[in-house]
Amino acid sequence: MSYLVFIVAVGLFALFGGGGPLHRDAWFEPMMRRIDALALEPPLSLTLRVGVPLFIFLCLFGLLGVLLGELGEALLSVALLYFAFGRDDYPTDLQRFLARARVGDLHGAEMLVTDPSASAEQRIALPDAALQAFGYRGFARWFPTVFYFWLLGPFAAVGYRLIDLMNERSQGQYQSTVVLLEWLPARVVLLTFSLLGDFEKSRSLLTNEALDKTCSNQSLLALGIARAWHLDLSTAETPSDVVGVAETAQKAISRATAVWIIAISVFALL
């Protein structure tokens, strides 16, 4: 049943992307405002913000189980897993970036992948920024959700996405929790990159940077793509070089997604 739930939810996400009906999150905004008014400490506040929606979903799961049996549980599981996928329009944003870079508008392309409020010292070169942005965004919208779904079930996947949504809503107040939850899925995706690309060149990441607490998940995934597919970011200066970096990030994410689906399918059929 879990495999059928997974395939249907992934198919819906491929069809509707991050703009489907279950990704309109206005329904929980009144609830969040009530919790805001309580002015609780961050750990307790986050517990309520995640726990209350999960309790509502759990009640619905039990009710549908009573009314429709396994069919009701399966339908809600599909809805929960689809809900747990990322919201951002990654494919469109990537194509917008590529369109600007291809016509030589590197400044316009840079605006799509860098924080305009960041100081000059905090900014990184455009190729690095593009690789980190699209590598991480492609990862965060799909892989942690699938990882926690298969590890702990649909409610765990929803819990991860709710924490991510609350972090965005609070402008990074719960970033440390998101980083912690993404730590293990990022390392599994890094291993996937290594197996798909040049394993010899990228395997040191698995034993060094992967265990380095100062290396962010964004940086680690970008390094994994760069080493596995032989990207030399220090020489990527022309618009065509920048396009090549972004297209490599897209290729890495697409291939890793396909590998995960195939691996899950083979495991489910054994």
Side-chain angles (χ1 to χ4, degrees):
M1 184 65 73
S2 294
Y3 178 67
L4 181 61
V5 167
F6 170 72
I7 289 298
V8 173
V10 168
L12 290 174
F13 189 59
L15 181 62
F16 295 109
L22 294 180
H23 286 175
R24 296 166 189 165
D25 302 317
W27 62 271
F28 61 66
E29 193 58 32
M31 186 191 312
M32 295 303 109
R33 287 197 295 268
R34 289 179 178 271
I35 297 175
D36 289 340
L38 297 175
L40 300 171
E41 291 297 319
L44 182 56
S45 177
L46 182 61
T47 300
L48 280 177
R49 294 176 195 279
V50 176
V52 171
L54 282 179
F55 178 74
I56 293 172
F57 291 146
L58 185 60
C59 291
L60 286 173
F61 189 82
L63 179 61
L64 287 176
V66 171
L67 295 176
L68 300 175
E70 291 187 359
L71 176 61
E73 294 177 353
L75 290 173
L76 186 58
S77 295
V78 169
L80 291 174
L81 181 55
Y82 177 72
F83 170 85
F85 288 124
R87 271 67 174 150
D88 67 334
D89 195 354
Y90 171 81
T92 300
D93 290 344
L94 177 60
Q95 292 306 315
R96 287 174 60 201
F97 178 89
L98 289 172
R100 294 190 180 188
R102 283 170 179 150
V103 297
D105 182 13
L106 295 184
H107 177 68
E110 186 176 18
M111 293 176 62
L112 297 175
V113 295
T114 57
D115 182 1
S117 63
S119 63
E121 293 77 14
Q122 293 175 317
R123 294 190 179 185
I124 58 178
L126 178 56
D128 295 90
L131 191 59
Q132 288 194 27
F134 292 116
Y136 175 74
R137 287 178 60 186
F139 157 79
R141 71 197 295 262
W142 196 85
F143 292 94
T145 296
V146 171
F147 179 86
Y148 285 111
F149 171 76
W150 283 105
L151 186 67
L152 298 171
F155 289 96
V158 170
Y160 160 76
R161 186 56 60 193
L162 285 171
I163 292 172
D164 181 60
L165 291 173
M166 294 307 106
N167 184 56
E168 291 183 5
R169 183 181 179 276
S170 64
Q171 299 180 336
Q173 186 177 7
Y174 308 113
Q175 182 62 27
S176 59
T177 305
V178 174
V179 170
L180 180 62
L181 289 174
E182 292 179 348
W183 191 91
L184 187 54
R187 272 67 187 168
V188 179
V189 172
L190 177 65
L191 175 60
T192 308
F193 290 158
S194 299
L195 295 175
L196 286 170
D198 189 334
F199 181 78
E200 288 298 320
K201 191 172 182 179
S202 57
R203 66 176 180 176
S204 62
L205 292 173
L206 300 169
T207 55
N208 297 327
E209 285 83 354
L211 303 177
D212 185 355
K213 295 181 180 179
T214 64
C215 186
S216 67
N217 292 328
Q218 292 93 323
S219 298
L220 183 66
L221 292 168
L223 281 171
I225 295 171
R227 292 196 189 179
W229 279 275
H230 305 136
L231 288 178
D232 187 357
L233 300 179
S234 62
T235 61
E237 299 176 350
T238 67
S240 61
D241 292 334
V242 174
V243 168
V245 168
E247 287 180 337
T248 300
Q250 180 186 33
K251 176 176 68 175
I253 294 297
S254 297
R255 291 184 177 180
T257 301
V259 166
W260 275 42
I261 292 174
I262 292 171
I264 290 169
S265 299
V266 170
F267 180 79
L269 294 174
L270 290 179

